Amino acid sequence: MVELSPSILSCDFSSLQEDLDATKGTRIKMIHIDVMDGVFVPNISFGFKIISDIRDKNDYFFDTHLMIVNPERYVDDFKKAGVDRLTIHYEASEDIKGAIDLIKKAGIEVGLSIKPKTDPKLILPLLKDLDLILVMSVEPGFGGQKFMEESIEKIKILREFIDSHKLKTKIQVDGGIKTDNVHKVIEAGADEVVAGSDVFAKDDIRGQINKYYEIFDQIK
Ligand code: DX5
Ligand code: ZN
């Protein structure tokens, strides 16, 4: 079953919990939490305090996407803040294997993300150690950008490798996903789709999430 991971980056932070309450009673199991440091990407979002503040009030899997340099520095802090998975960027550390091991040792799930210009073949040898591979379908840094069609081919390459090697690694796609293009990434092999502006920037957050699950039901 495909899962939707709505990105809180598009929430109104002056009333973040109200936006999250609007998701209650839908079929979502996780929320996507985008952390940006202004160095790895040209934008700054939020950090541990916001995550730990929403932790107690929301019984979702905290799917956390770190767009920060040298993420290995902060694994313990994110774990303390209550995240369930840390997805780091392949391009963000000199010692990506070391960073992956550190996250595993912390007892949380580990994901690895690649920017649009990174060749997915580079990370194939790492897939067996990962819970998730995240294909960025926009340049990371901002919500509301246009989906890059080239991502479809990357998803297919990863799907083929994962299936042929009988791996359990999930494929997530993030950036520019809308109700009218989500079918393409699912048909290419995505297990999880992130949508920010197409969920939290909409007036009817609950209705929008329901639309995604109706599409998922039609495809599978
Ligand atoms: C972008 C973030 C995304 C962002 C997606 O760097 O990683 O998760 O919130 O936003 P939309 O769905 O609006 O492209
Ligand atoms: Zn993200």
Side-chain angles (χ1 to χ4, degrees):
M1 182 67 204
V2 178
E3 295 296 342
L4 178 70
S5 192
S7 168
I8 66 166
L9 189 64
S10 289
C11 288
D12 178 347
F13 289 117
S14 69
S15 52
L16 176 56
Q17 189 54 41
E18 279 172 37
D19 280 4
L20 287 168
D21 284 341
T23 69
K24 302 284 161 74
T26 68
R27 285 162 67 188
I28 61 162
K29 297 190 177 72
M30 62 179 84
I31 54 171
H32 188 80
I33 299 174
D34 287 303
V35 178
M36 305 179 183
D37 67 354
V39 179
F40 184 72
V41 289
N43 194 10
I44 298 176
S45 57
F46 52 79
F48 316 117
K49 177 79 164 59
I50 298 264
I51 299 173
S52 60
D53 283 357
I54 60 170
R55 179 64 283 183
D56 293 343
K57 297 193 171 88
N58 301 281
D59 195 19
Y60 292 128
F61 182 89
F62 275 19
D63 162 37
T64 310
H65 177 193
L66 296 186
M67 286 157 276
I68 67 173
V69 292
N70 299 120
E72 58 275 12
R73 294 172 296 162
Y74 294 114
V75 172
D76 288 340
D77 299 271
F78 281 108
K79 174 157 170 139
K80 275 191 212 121
V83 309
D84 295 292
R85 179 168 64 208
L86 277 181
T87 298
I88 58 173
H89 266 268
Y90 177 73
E91 309 86 357
S93 176
E94 297 276 295
D95 180 18
I96 206 69
K97 265 185 156 277
I100 290 169
D101 286 346
L102 219 53
I103 297 169
K104 285 185 156 188
K105 274 197 199 110
I108 48 183
E109 288 194 18
V110 59
L112 186 65
S113 182
I114 48 169
K115 296 211 270 187
K117 291 193 186 83
T118 302
D119 184 348
K121 295 203 176 82
L122 290 170
I123 55 87
L124 294 179
L126 296 170
L127 280 177
K128 62 176 181 349
D129 298 319
L130 301 171
D131 296 295
L132 182 91
I133 175 74
L134 165 54
V135 177
M136 284 307 298
S137 43
V138 296
E139 281 299 336
F142 300 91
Q145 303 181 75
K146 192 176 174 299
F147 179 80
M148 297 167 86
E149 294 293 332
E150 311 89 273
S151 324
I152 298 291
E153 199 47 43
K154 291 184 196 162
I155 302 165
K156 286 183 181 164
I157 291 169
L158 292 164
R159 180 82 273 153
E160 209 280 315
F161 187 92
I162 288 168
D163 289 350
S164 63
H165 290 76
K166 299 192 169 46
L167 302 179
K168 292 202 175 77
T169 319
K170 295 254 162 62
I171 301 175
Q172 186 179 66
V173 186
D174 180 9
I177 303 278
K178 310 271 174 223
T179 48
D180 58 12
N181 64 12
V182 70
H183 66 279
K184 285 195 261 185
V185 299
I186 297 173
E187 280 157 8
D191 301 292
E192 297 178 9
V193 291
V194 177
S197 50
D198 202 41
V199 173
F200 286 116
K202 295 278 180 176
D203 289 334
D204 183 7
I205 293 170
R206 184 172 286 119
Q208 195 65 11
I209 292 171
N210 292 339
K211 266 191 215 164
Y212 273 93
Y213 277 91
E214 278 164 29
I215 296 167
F216 300 167
D217 286 342
Q218 277 163 16
I219 296 175
K220 294 261 159 163

